[in-house]
Amino acid sequence: MSNFLVAAILVSIVTYSNAQQDLTLVAGQSGVDVVDACINKLSAIPLFSNDFGFLKRIALVESDFGSNTTIINVNPAGGIWQISTTINQAISGSTTLAAVLTQARLLFGTDITDFVNGDFSIPLKSALAAKLYIELISVNGEVPGTVTEQATWWTRYYNENGQSSVFETTVTNYESENKCTVSKMDLYFLLDGSGSIGSSNFQQSLDFVKQLASEFNISSEQVRTGLTIYSSSNYPISQFDQHQNNSAFSDAVINTNYPRGGTKTGNAIEFVRTTMFNTTTGMRPLTDGAPRILIVLTDGESSDDVVQPSKAIKEDGITVFGVGVGSGYVEDEIHAIASDPDSDYAFGLSQFDQLVTILEDRVSVQACKIPTVFPDDTEVPISVGSGDTHYSEVQMPTNGSIELSYSVTTVATAIVYASSSTTNPNSAVYDFFFELQLGVTVVTMNSGETSTSAVELVSNTYASSSFTTGRKKRAVDTTDTFPVYLAVVPTSNEPLDATVKATGSNTRASGGAGSGVYKFSWMTALLLAMFAYKTFL
């Protein structure tokens, strides 16, 4: 029987493509992947505010991400976001948006930023117009954060024929049905407990921590959590290996005291970097494949420097959410604390009750998109549920190559999208893709030589695990690298479990993308293997 299994693995070879794709620039394209890719691109514009998911929700309600042909056929020039003449005139005639438009023009060119002809059938152009309009109307106030507030705004400013109840129902149903699952994460909370917050607001901060933590399955194997309160001093409440179930962590949060005192945010960030994000206090090593996340919440200006501690903790591979609440926080300080882009990780809220009504929802969504860092030449386990996506990151040597080995242990299939330009590649935007199925898939990537791609697929093979055992290349020079992002998207109804190994080399690999790769379905391979097994009995 073992001969049969090895034969099945050896015969089955998978499909891949090194042809780049960017559907955000193709008129008439639609779908949630196109929308997500547009939003991801717009996040590169620093002057845009965090819109709390509003742009995606408008695309859903206006045209079902461009898939509602009845609506699109009525106004094809409006595109996915159904940009009207009124919206176009408002953003085109605005001097307030001049700086943002300049940034957009530098990034995307005049084809996307020229609104004179009024044709927004190109998805990225439609998305940019809608984002600019949200920014324009909200310039004298906050961008609406909750679904209810966004529904009211939408009917008042965006679609006068729309019904707020339809917006709320459509968004709520979609997001509940498409809620992502975080299988593994090390999540730490750093809360301001200074005297300026007040006991009532401090309690609401703790409520936010409890509520967000309850969204995840806290355990030693899945999501580990911790909490430190800071003011003039630091007060650790929980470390990663201390309260490893939801009930225990909730009890620790409930029993947290309000310390009062000054605000030393920089000192607190350095404290959790060196003390809490440490394997001695339960943080998992990179080989466990758990993304590391820190949420920093403050209500005022720090009395010490936050720039250097924030820079250091992000250089350690920790993704940081910077959250300012109330009227006393400094926006530039929050941006310095937060990871890039600010539109995903920097939050400014006017009231503490918005921590639960707005922030909890956005953090849980964004947490699913944070890439796992694959260290060089080390096996890392991943688990991807059906309907979810696993994001990861490897460091590519500028003039070298990376060999990726995916060892899939479940009877499941998936597509892996790779990109050097976007942290969350998908079917709409990628540099290349390849397929996964039961067995070992080995992919070799070179640093790109073309102007359109920084990373190129060289070859793809499918082999038994015995063919890759002991494979070793020269370690990557981490001082001269750039990130390549990967997204594993299951294509079957089965969860995919695998181990991944990325091995870097400072020498470019030889070979070409067309090097003898053929496609057999898993079933075809199985039948061929059965035939071979019977023949040689």
Side-chain angles (χ1 to χ4, degrees):
M1 188 63 177
S2 61
N3 291 337
F4 166 78
L5 291 175
V6 170
I9 291 173
L10 289 174
V11 171
S12 181
I13 304 177
V14 296
T15 298
Y16 69 93
S17 168
N18 66 341
Q20 277 189 300
Q21 179 157 289
D22 189 346
L23 298 183
T24 68
L25 304 177
V26 180
Q29 290 296 317
S30 62
V32 66
D33 276 7
V34 173
V35 169
D36 284 341
C38 287
I39 293 170
N40 204 18
K41 282 189 172 186
L42 294 181
S43 69
I45 300 178
L47 290 178
F48 272 140
S49 304
N50 195 316
D51 72 359
F52 308 108
F54 197 12
L55 191 61
K56 183 171 183 175
R57 289 166 174 172
I58 290 175
L60 168 65
V61 177
E62 283 290 329
S63 70
D64 192 14
F65 306 128
S67 300
N68 189 326
T69 55
T70 301
I71 291 174
I72 293 295
N73 288 339
V74 172
N75 180 26
I80 292 174
W81 279 266
Q82 287 294 282
I83 304 303
S84 65
T85 302
T86 301
I87 293 175
N88 188 11
Q89 289 175 345
I91 60 177
S92 299
S94 171
T95 57
T96 306
L97 299 173
V100 185
L101 272 169
T102 298
Q103 288 185 340
R105 192 171 295 112
L106 291 172
L107 283 171
F108 308 131
T110 55
D111 288 346
I112 301 301
T113 55
D114 182 7
F115 303 147
V116 173
N117 64 11
D119 183 1
F120 296 91
S121 58
I122 296 175
L124 184 58
K125 190 171 184 177
S126 183
L128 176 61
K131 182 77 169 178
L132 287 167
Y133 188 65
I134 294 171
E135 194 79 14
L136 176 64
I137 300 300
S138 303
V139 72
N140 294 319
E142 292 183 341
V143 174
T146 67
V147 175
T148 300
E149 291 169 345
Q150 291 174 358
T152 301
W153 190 100
W154 174 71
T155 57
R156 180 178 299 169
Y157 300 112
Y158 201 98
N159 188 334
E160 61 182 14
N161 296 317
Q163 297 179 352
S164 59
S165 59
V166 172
F167 187 103
E168 287 194 64
T169 302
T170 303
V171 169
T172 301
N173 290 343
Y174 174 83
E175 294 183 354
S176 63
E177 292 170 4
N178 293 275
K179 194 175 183 64
C180 65
T181 303
V182 176
S183 61
K184 191 178 290 188
M185 176 173 62
D186 286 350
L187 171 66
Y188 206 87
F189 298 90
L190 180 60
L191 301 188
D192 188 343
S194 61
S196 60
I197 285 184
S199 58
S200 176
N201 290 335
F202 180 73
Q203 185 58 51
Q204 291 193 75
S205 299
L206 297 180
D207 290 342
F208 157 70
V209 173
K210 289 188 297 180
Q211 183 66 29
L212 180 59
S214 70
E215 295 286 323
F216 308 116
N217 186 359
I218 298 176
S219 70
S220 60
E221 297 299 317
Q222 293 182 291
V223 177
R224 297 187 184 184
T225 54
L227 168 66
T228 286
I229 309 299
Y230 78 94
S231 56
S232 304
S233 301
N234 302 306
Y235 305 91
I237 306 301
S238 178
Q239 56 193 45
F240 287 119
D241 59 1
Q242 192 169 354
H243 303 99
Q244 294 195 338
N245 61 66
N246 289 77
S247 177
F249 183 71
S250 178
D251 288 344
V253 175
I254 290 171
N255 293 318
T256 297
N257 294 321
Y258 174 38
R260 296 176 176 81
T263 307
K264 290 189 175 181
T265 309
N267 175 269
I269 292 172
E270 181 64 12
F271 171 77
V272 296
R273 183 183 79 85
T274 57
T275 306
M276 293 303 161
F277 280 96
N278 194 303
T279 53
T280 62
T281 52
M283 181 191 73
R284 284 168 283 195
L286 289 176
T287 52
D288 274 19
R292 299 165 179 175
I293 300 170
L294 172 66
I295 299 176
V296 180
L297 190 154
T298 183
D299 82 321
E301 184 175 5
S302 179
S303 62
D304 62 358
D305 174 59
V306 301
V307 175
Q308 288 306 314
S310 299
K311 183 174 182 288
I313 199 167
K314 287 179 283 191
E315 287 177 346
D316 284 354
I318 298 164
T319 300
V320 184
F321 288 85
V323 184
V325 192
S327 59
Y329 70 87
V330 178
E331 187 173 352
D332 288 346
E333 197 172 274
I334 298 302
H335 289 171
I337 292 170
S339 295
D340 291 329
D342 289 342
S343 58
D344 287 338
Y345 298 108
F347 292 83
L349 306 174
S350 61
Q351 300 174 18
F352 275 81
D353 59 8
Q354 292 176 325
L355 291 171
V356 171
T357 60
I358 297 177
L359 187 63
E360 181 264 324
D361 169 67
R362 301 323 304 164
V363 171
S364 61
V365 169
Q366 193 61 35
C368 295
K369 300 179 181 180
I370 295 174
T372 298
V373 177
F374 290 158
D376 186 59
D377 204 30
T378 306
E379 285 192 346
V380 177
I382 66 170
S383 181
V384 197
S386 176
D388 288 327
T389 301
H390 182 277
Y391 296 101
S392 57
E393 172 188 341
V394 296
Q395 288 296 316
M396 168 70 73
T398 303
N399 295 302
S401 65
I402 286 284
E403 181 184 87
L404 280 173
S405 177
Y406 285 82
S407 179
V408 179
T409 57
T410 51
V411 183
T413 57
I415 293 179
V416 181
Y417 297 101
S419 175
S420 56
S421 61
T422 177
T423 55
N424 299 131
N426 60 22
S427 64
V429 176
Y430 58 80
D431 288 349
F432 59 84
F433 75 86
F434 53 92
E435 291 183 354
L436 297 180
Q437 56 191 36
L438 179 64
V440 178
T441 301
V442 180
V443 171
T444 305
M445 303 181 296
N446 269 348
S447 300
E449 293 182 325
T450 69
S451 60
T452 56
S453 175
V455 58
E456 297 172 337
L457 182 64
V458 180
S459 62
N460 183 23
T461 59
Y462 197 72
S464 70
S465 57
S466 61
F467 278 54
T468 59
T469 301
R471 187 188 296 265
K472 184 86 173 178
K473 286 191 176 185
R474 188 155 55 94
V476 63
D477 177 7
T478 57
T479 62
D480 194 17
T481 63
F482 63 91
V484 174
Y485 302 100
L486 305 154
V488 179
V489 183
T491 53
S492 61
N493 292 325
E494 300 296 326
L496 182 140
D497 293 321
T499 57
V500 187
K501 187 176 182 180
T503 305
S505 171
N506 292 318
T507 304
R508 290 173 58 82
S510 60
S515 53
V517 178
Y518 304 93
K519 179 181 179 181
F520 290 86
S521 70
W522 193 85
M523 184 56 71
T524 301
L526 197 58
L527 292 172
L528 287 172
M530 291 175 65
F531 175 77
Y533 178 72
K534 290 181 179 180
T535 300
F536 292 105
L537 274 177

